[in-house]
Amino acid sequence: MKKIGGNVIAEFQAMTVSKNEIGEDVESLKTVAKHIGFLDLSSGNSSYEKYRTKMEEVTHVFICDTFNIDRSKVTRLSIKESAYDVVYFDEPVGFGYHFEIFLKRVEQYGS
């Protein structure tokens, strides 16, 4: 099967928790994978009625080939110096061909 390829590299990030010097939990994002794909702006008109409320938050979609990753731990993608929260991570029809990752762009400090 032909690969999708892409034109941008996304950093897949997961939340990690560590302790600071006084024993408090400190959350931080850690890059767990990098993968090439395509980033597209969402039109806002979704055919996913079952997930309508969740899908209305979507601003972008990242499409890439499937690869081995724990999808349940990925909470954010970093693409071209922009951050996107993962709203929904889908592998359409379960064929193992590609991922469709529905994203919500988040404002970062300094942007």
Side-chain angles (χ1 to χ4, degrees), residues 8-10 12 35-40 60-64 67 77 79 99-103:
V8 296
I9 295 175
F12 289 69
H35 205 74
I36 193 165
F38 294 99
L39 180 67
D40 195 14
H60 293 77
V61 178
F62 184 75
I63 299 172
C64 65
F67 63 101
L77 266 61
I79 305 169
F99 290 136
E100 292 178 3
I101 307 165
F102 299 91
L103 307 168

Side-chain angles (χ1 to χ4, degrees), residues 28-93:
S28 61
L29 289 166
K30 177 183 176 188
T31 298
V32 294
K34 291 182 182 181
H35 205 74
I36 193 165
F38 294 99
L39 180 67
D40 195 14
L41 186 63
S42 177
S43 68
N45 295 329
S46 173
S47 60
Y48 294 86
E49 288 299 318
K50 181 176 179 183
Y51 303 104
R52 184 178 178 111
T53 303
K54 187 178 269 195
M55 297 307 285
E56 285 177 357
E57 298 176 358
V58 170
T59 60
H60 293 77
V61 178
F62 184 75
I63 299 172
C64 65
D65 295 312
T66 57
F67 63 101
N68 190 17
I69 190 167
D70 186 349
R71 298 181 291 181
S72 67
K73 296 191 189 261
V74 175
T75 58
R76 185 169 283 183
L77 266 61
S78 178
I79 305 169
K80 290 187 172 183
E81 300 180 15
S82 293
Y84 303 87
D85 283 340
V86 174
V87 176
Y88 186 67
F89 204 126
D90 191 24
E91 182 183 348
V93 197

